[in-house]
Amino acid sequence: MALNWTAIDTAIKAWLDAYVSGVTWVRGNQNLPTLVHPFGVYTWTSIGAKPPAQGELPDDQHQASTTDAQVFRHRRHQLSLNVYSASVVGTTAAVYAQQARDSIELEAVRVDLEAAGLVVVPQGAVIDLTQLLPDRAESRALLEVVVYTVDTATQTVGSIATAEITPTLVT
């Protein structure tokens, strides 16, 4: 079954909207007007195949039954969350990013993301990137987490009804 990227995107947005209160979340690379602080931007980067663990099927493993062949493709992605806030004290962008980081480990979040086709590895630290702009300070934080997807494809390959074997006498 092919991955449903719309369902994945919807699940990520629902997670962030539910657990990082007060932040407007948008998917990166959208042509939107300037957002009001606080806001967050999430983006994807594909970082290749998932390295197999001991005893695990290698990437692009083919499994065949008598009539079907199934291919599993394990893929690794990096989900980057950039949070921006006008406040450099109190509820800063780093506080919002930490809320996202903490909520990744909640069972409800994990179940919802897995239902959409994602497995999130709760790793990565919140990086505070607060900077001084020409007219003000802007609080900014970055959280990057590794996300795995498993894409499968099945093809009916059929079976051989009969096989003819011709014996050969070797002298």
Side-chain angles (χ1 to χ4, degrees), residues 77-94:
H77 313 272
Q78 185 166 312
L79 177 62
S80 297
L81 307 176
N82 285 280
V83 187
Y84 301 86
S85 173
S87 177
V88 292
V89 294
T91 310
T92 64

Side-chain angles (χ1 to χ4, degrees), residues 37 86 131-138:
H37 288 92
Q131 61 183 340
L132 186 60
L133 300 176
D135 59 341
R136 62 181 162 74
E138 180 180 57

Side-chain angles (χ1 to χ4, degrees), residues 23-75:
V23 176
T24 302
W25 287 97
V26 295
R27 172 112 158 121
N29 302 323
Q30 294 177 338
N31 292 325
L32 295 174
T34 303
L35 298 169
V36 176
H37 288 92
F39 67 92
V41 179
Y42 61 97
T43 57
W44 283 90
T45 304
S46 180
I47 52 178
K50 175 183 175 232
Q54 183 177 357
E56 186 178 59
L57 295 173
D59 197 33
D60 295 335
Q61 176 67 37
H62 298 266
Q63 288 186 335
S65 67
T66 55
T67 59
D68 293 331
Q70 190 169 31
V71 180
F72 296 89
R73 291 179 289 270
H74 301 86
R75 299 292 179 250

